Amino acid sequence: MFSNNKELNTLWALLNCLIPGGSVFGALASSFFINCFGPKKSLLWNNCLAISAVLLNSLARTAGSVEMLIVGRLFSGLNSGVIVCVAPTYLNEISPDHLRGAVGATFELSIGIAILLSTVVGLPNVLGNLDLWHYMLALAAVPTFFQLITLPFCPDSPKYVFFSRQDDKETLDALGKLHGRTNAKRELAAIQEEYSRVKDEPLLTLKDILIDPFLRRILFITMGLHLCQQFSGIDATMFYSTAMFQEAGLSGKMARYATIGMVAIYVVGTAISMVLVEKVGRKILLLIGYSGAVVFLSILTASMLLFDSGEPPANTPHAKNPYAPAAYASCVSLVCFVVIFSAGPAPIPWVLMSEYFAQRPRAVAAGPAAATNRFGSLVVALVFPYMQASLNGYLFLIFIGLNIGFIVFTCVYVIETKGKTSDEIQAELRARMEGNRAVPASHGPSTLT
């Protein structure tokens, strides 16, 4: 952005990396908060970071302090890191088995809605300009105070309540609010049975998970799922979207509106995944998403290269590009990629992150898994500009190759969890580890899980 000023370039890079970088540490620290306070109270306490970030970011211009903006963005990163770990855990623990995937997908839906709203608010003719940008950053207070007002009325995680306090009445009350009185007693019996198997085990640490071969394997699989999501190429396509729409003939203003429309399509696709995830299944959606990515990124690459090959020389400004229609093909393939990604690889890693672990190790394992997601985002933010400058139209060939690898990873390591209880998931994961696809009926989870 500031190619002639190295100091400003460094500052710009730092500001861009503070949020994903800070979120790595926030995610790692969130396991401690979940174990101490439970997921609901962890989300409430996390608003202290959010309020601090809003104050620092929005008042930095008034104070004339770049340092306030740096610290504010760091706090924003820490806050988002806690959210990406705690929120999926909370959604998993309050959901009935038959709706666990759909409820879990609402997390990615909320992210998509937030991106859409921030993109609209960030338009130059709204708040994204030199005079009003600090008001735009102050708007982050709206969801913060909304959560502070509404979350106290939501039930706590029934499993956390029972595992931490063994309070039948409080757990039954939480289950009744979430699943209805008819199912509450049956759900309580299942929680009691799960607790009876692990009650004598000490509180797990990350070291315990890394030492245990089974838990270590599951942790690495969930971390792999998040790396697949981040390195699929979605951020690169979002970055290129406005330029592609301009090449297709749209003005700069209309191209920005088209990008907003594409983000809106992403939101719709994520909403559709809430229905598909319980009908089609998690693994199938992942495979469709990554296979579709290979197809549409291939079309995108071919279209971009064809368009570039027809660009007239600089000394013939009135000449026309004979391959101008390729720009339209680029836009269509771009939109198709966003749609197919939003329905599968976008929400599913967050769902499986919580589903693959039983209650005891879930909080500890969710931290490194979520941190891996944010680390992937940080790597993309740091490396992508250099990839773009070096590879130009060939950039997406790397993502095509990666998505082929992600298909193999999904086929080999990911199991379907649709409609299965936590015990059934643990049994199947262990059977996979032992090289047996059929899950023995009598095979239950280990004492560590």
Side-chain angles (χ1 to χ4, degrees), residues 76-270:
S76 295
L78 293 170
N79 169 259
S80 65
V82 174
I83 289 174
V84 298
C85 177
V86 179
T89 301
Y90 178 65
L91 292 172
N92 174 275
E93 294 183 4
I94 65 173
S95 308
D97 291 337
H98 68 286
L99 292 176
R100 198 172 53 230
V103 174
T106 61
F107 177 68
E108 184 65 29
L109 176 62
S110 67
I111 292 176
I113 293 173
I115 294 173
L116 176 61
L117 292 176
S118 62
T119 304
V120 173
V121 172
L123 288 171
N125 58 333
V126 184
L127 295 178
N129 53 63
L130 290 175
D131 296 322
L132 302 173
W133 63 267
H134 53 298
Y135 293 114
M136 176 179 67
L137 297 183
L139 287 177
V142 175
T144 299
F145 285 106
F146 178 78
Q147 186 185 88
L148 281 171
I149 294 170
T150 58
L151 190 57
F153 296 99
C154 299
D156 210 335
S157 160
K159 283 191 174 182
Y160 172 77
V161 170
F162 191 85
F163 272 64
S164 60
R165 297 191 283 276
Q166 293 81 59
D167 189 326
D168 288 3
K169 185 178 182 303
E170 187 179 355
T171 306
L172 199 62
D173 183 57
L175 287 168
K177 291 178 180 178
L178 291 166
H179 305 162
R181 293 291 176 183
T182 305
N183 302 317
K185 289 187 178 180
R186 185 177 69 252
E187 296 279 354
L188 176 61
I191 294 174
Q192 290 172 330
E193 181 183 353
E194 183 179 351
Y195 176 75
S196 67
R197 292 196 301 267
V198 299
K199 63 180 180 181
D200 296 325
E201 296 290 339
L203 192 66
L204 292 178
T205 64
L206 181 57
K207 180 180 177 181
D208 295 323
I209 291 178
L210 293 174
I211 289 174
D212 183 88
F214 173 65
L215 295 178
R216 182 177 63 243
R217 176 185 172 90
I218 305 309
L219 176 61
F220 287 163
I221 290 174
T222 56
M223 292 169 70
L225 284 166
H226 281 293
L227 287 178
C228 292
Q229 182 202 65
Q230 287 298 319
F231 295 156
S232 64
I234 186 65
D235 289 338
T237 54
M238 290 292 190
F239 182 88
Y240 260 99
S241 58
T242 301
M244 289 180 188
F245 290 131
Q246 287 177 324
E247 287 180 351
L250 296 179
S251 65
K253 183 178 180 180
M254 293 306 297
R256 286 193 292 270
Y257 291 149
T259 299
I260 292 174
M262 192 177 69
V263 178
I265 292 172
Y266 180 88
V267 173
V268 173
T270 308

Side-chain angles (χ1 to χ4, degrees), residues 411-431:
C411 289
V412 175
Y413 293 106
V414 176
I415 69 164
E416 183 55 66
T417 59
K418 181 185 70 172
K420 297 174 183 176
T421 65
S422 180
D423 285 353
E424 291 169 341
I425 293 170
Q426 297 300 300
E428 185 171 347
L429 285 169
R430 184 169 292 279

Side-chain angles (χ1 to χ4, degrees), residues 98 273-282 284-285 418:
H98 68 286
S273 74
M274 294 172 57
V275 178
L276 295 178
V277 71
E278 297 298 352
K279 294 183 179 295
V280 178
R282 285 74 154 154
I284 295 297
L285 285 178
K418 181 185 70 172

Side-chain angles (χ1 to χ4, degrees), residues 19-50:
I19 290 183
S23 65
V24 172
F25 295 100
L28 290 172
S30 59
S31 299
F32 168 80
F33 293 113
I34 296 176
N35 281 328
C36 290
F37 306 113
K40 176 183 170 181
K41 288 184 179 178
S42 295
L43 288 172
L44 287 171
W45 280 110
N46 188 43
N47 286 301
C48 294
L49 284 172

